[in-house]
Amino acid sequence: MHTQTSKLTAVSMVLLLLVSSTIALGLAGGASLQEAGNAGNAGAATVTFSDQTTAGTTVTVDSVNVSDGGFVAIHDSSLFEGNVAGSVIGVSEYLEPGEHDNVEVTLFDVPGAEFDRSELSENDTLIAMPHRDTNANETYDFVATDGAADGPYVSDGSAVTDTANVTVEQEEVEGESYTVSNLSAPLSAEQGDTVIINATVTNPNTETDTQEVVFRFDGNAVVRDQVELEGGNSTTVSYSLNTSSVETGTYFHGVYTQSDGAPAQIQVVDEVQSFEVTDLEAPDTVTAGSEFTVNATVTNPNAFASEQPVEFRFQGTLIEARDVSLTAGETSTVEFQVDATGISPGTYIHSAFTRDFGQSALITVEAAGEEPPTEEPTETEEPTETEEPTETEEPTETEEPTETEEPTETEEPTETEEPTETEEPTETEEPTETEEPTESEA
């Protein structure tokens, strides 16, 4: 346990700067340090902050006395480097004038501040600092106003503070460690690029658990996350790395849990040249509703491995973008399967693009019913006019020989029936009129 009046440390030097750069903002624009100190002394304050162990989400201030009311804020060690408002990582509720014991302060929940984590992940020296409520709204506005409101209590020209060494106690993993898979990250990046790293984290246990997941770059922990997952569930963790301050070279990085991890390698370079594109291949004509294949040859001209997107566009519209990884100088064929369903008949431009290069060609889409190529062969029905050979029925005109029926006109002889006109003699029935003699019967 320490008191502000009993020590002269680096903290005191920073806090002198703090008073001059922030407290004065709450007074008249040109107020001097002396005026700021006098204003701070208008209300007295004391604070006691002991070394402690924490789970990382809260800390406890032993006691704080604020004569005019206000807050007790928790600053992290970046305050020593002059980071005033940005060092505030926790603040109490509004405290009425007077003394308060065992004040619990929630970390990483500060009005006006944004954080990329929800708990303290590493041991640190923290500073407890009573702040005034200068605008009397019972809301801590120091961060939101960049120090213009709710500045700290001051004693003898310095802010009233106390420091504590805070140890973060990591929770023991009761079940199996989370696993890491599917790490994705570029193989190379230009210096100054922001690199995105993704990985899948899985809880192999049957119960819900919370475990630490760490992203490391060049061996150093860059981000620590506490990830809660139900049993058997997975999630994607994503990290952003700005390479502006990273020197060119090859680095290892990765995502790690207690017992598992997925490492990778990235090369930071001055310039990454775009992949080249050659030999675009596709059919000249396709049928609407069918699928067709487009191939393009892609080459990595760099002296190092690189992963870059290759796009296929149809009449300018992006159909597919695929990340292609190639080693130094490697050439590969990239294949796209394209569905022509819903495309109206016509002639279109299709293209394969990389960042700086590409090739385009024309393709004609024909209506499904047209199918002229297949119809032309079906015109072989003309040969089916071989029905003309079926005119070999002409030989069947051998029926003409069947006109030998003409000989059957030998029926003419059958006209000998004319002799059958001998029936005329049958008129001899006249003699049958000999019935006249029968008149003798008379």
Side-chain angles (χ1 to χ4, degrees), residues 48 84 151 262 327 329 365 382:
T48 302
V84 180
T327 59
V365 178
E382 292 178 10

Side-chain angles (χ1 to χ4, degrees), residues 312-379:
F312 175 74
R313 291 178 179 264
F314 191 88
Q315 198 63 14
T317 301
L318 177 62
I319 303 300
E320 183 180 356
R322 186 180 306 164
D323 288 333
V324 177
S325 297
L326 297 175
T327 59
E330 182 182 5
T331 294
S332 178
T333 298
V334 180
E335 180 181 292
F336 298 98
Q337 290 293 329
V338 186
D339 188 352
T341 300
I343 300 177
S344 302
T347 299
Y348 299 88
I349 299 172
H350 65 95
S351 313
F353 291 151
T354 58
R355 186 187 68 189
D356 295 335
F357 301 104
Q359 284 193 337
S360 299
L362 294 176
I363 188 168
T364 299
V365 178
E366 297 180 340
E370 293 179 0
E371 298 181 5
T374 55
E375 284 182 358
E376 290 176 8
T378 58
E379 288 179 10

Side-chain angles (χ1 to χ4, degrees), residues 118-119 171 178 201-205 207-213 224-237 239 257:
S118 59
E119 40 186 55
E171 295 183 6
Y178 284 178
V201 175
T202 303
N203 177 8
N205 304 290
E207 301 293 331
T208 299
D209 200 354
T210 300
Q211 296 186 23
E212 184 178 69
V213 179
R224 294 179 182 270
D225 288 324
Q226 294 295 320
V227 178
E228 180 177 357
L229 286 173
E230 295 182 0
N233 282 10
S234 299
T235 189
T236 298
V237 294
Y239 303 99
T257 58

Side-chain angles (χ1 to χ4, degrees), residues 106-407:
T106 300
L107 302 180
F108 303 104
D109 184 13
V110 178
E114 294 183 1
F115 302 100
D116 59 2
R117 51 180 174 161
S118 59
E119 40 186 55
L120 199 65
S121 57
E122 296 180 323
N123 302 341
D124 200 356
T125 298
L126 303 184
I127 302 100
M129 184 185 301
H131 279 245
R132 301 163 61 216
D133 184 17
T134 60
N135 53 15
N137 64 355
E138 298 188 1
T139 299
Y140 182 73
D141 296 319
F142 182 77
V143 174
T145 63
D146 199 22
D150 298 347
Y153 279 87
V154 177
S155 176
D156 297 329
S158 294
V160 176
T161 65
D162 194 14
T163 61
N165 294 318
V166 177
T167 301
V168 178
E169 185 179 51
Q170 300 291 345
E171 295 183 6
E172 293 184 4
V173 179
E174 295 181 0
E176 294 182 31
S177 168
Y178 284 178
T179 59
V180 186
S181 59
N182 303 325
L183 179 75
S184 66
L187 300 176
S188 57
E190 290 184 2
Q191 190 178 41
D193 285 350
T194 296
V195 176
I196 304 300
I197 299 94
N198 296 314
T200 301
V201 175
T202 303
N203 177 8
N205 304 290
T206 57
E207 301 293 331
T208 299
D209 200 354
T210 300
Q211 296 186 23
E212 184 178 69
V213 179
V214 182
F215 170 65
R216 292 180 176 272
F217 183 82
D218 198 25
N220 300 317
V222 177
V223 180
R224 294 179 182 270
D225 288 324
Q226 294 295 320
V227 178
E228 180 177 357
L229 286 173
E230 295 182 0
N233 282 10
S234 299
T235 189
T236 298
V237 294
S238 183
Y239 303 99
S240 175
L241 176 68
N242 189 301
T243 61
S244 297
S245 59
V246 178
E247 295 182 0
T248 58
T250 302
Y251 297 88
F252 294 100
H253 64 92
V255 177
Y256 300 89
T257 58
Q258 183 183 23
S259 302
D260 197 23
Q265 197 173 20
I266 186 171
Q267 190 161 3
V268 179
V269 297
D270 292 325
E271 180 185 7
V272 178
Q273 297 181 62
S274 171
F275 285 177
E276 299 167 352
V277 180
T278 56
D279 302 329
L280 179 65
E281 294 181 355
D284 294 330
T285 304
V286 296
T287 302
S290 66
E291 289 190 356
F292 61 96
T293 301
V294 177
N295 292 318
T297 301
V298 179
T299 302
N300 176 15
N302 297 286
F304 46 84
S306 182
E307 181 179 78
Q308 299 183 24
V310 178
E311 298 178 349
F312 175 74
R313 291 178 179 264
F314 191 88
Q315 198 63 14
T317 301
L318 177 62
I319 303 300
E320 183 180 356
R322 186 180 306 164
D323 288 333
V324 177
S325 297
L326 297 175
T327 59
E330 182 182 5
T331 294
S332 178
T333 298
V334 180
E335 180 181 292
F336 298 98
Q337 290 293 329
V338 186
D339 188 352
T341 300
I343 300 177
S344 302
T347 299
Y348 299 88
I349 299 172
H350 65 95
S351 313
F353 291 151
T354 58
R355 186 187 68 189
D356 295 335
F357 301 104
Q359 284 193 337
S360 299
L362 294 176
I363 188 168
T364 299
V365 178
E366 297 180 340
E370 293 179 0
E371 298 181 5
T374 55
E375 284 182 358
E376 290 176 8
T378 58
E379 288 179 10
T380 57
E381 290 179 359
E382 292 178 10
T384 58
E385 290 179 357
T386 56
E387 291 178 0
E388 292 177 10
T390 59
E391 289 178 13
T392 56
E393 292 178 359
E394 292 177 8
T396 60
E397 288 178 12
T398 58
E399 291 178 0
E400 293 178 15
T402 60
E403 289 179 358
T404 56
E405 292 179 359
E406 292 179 349

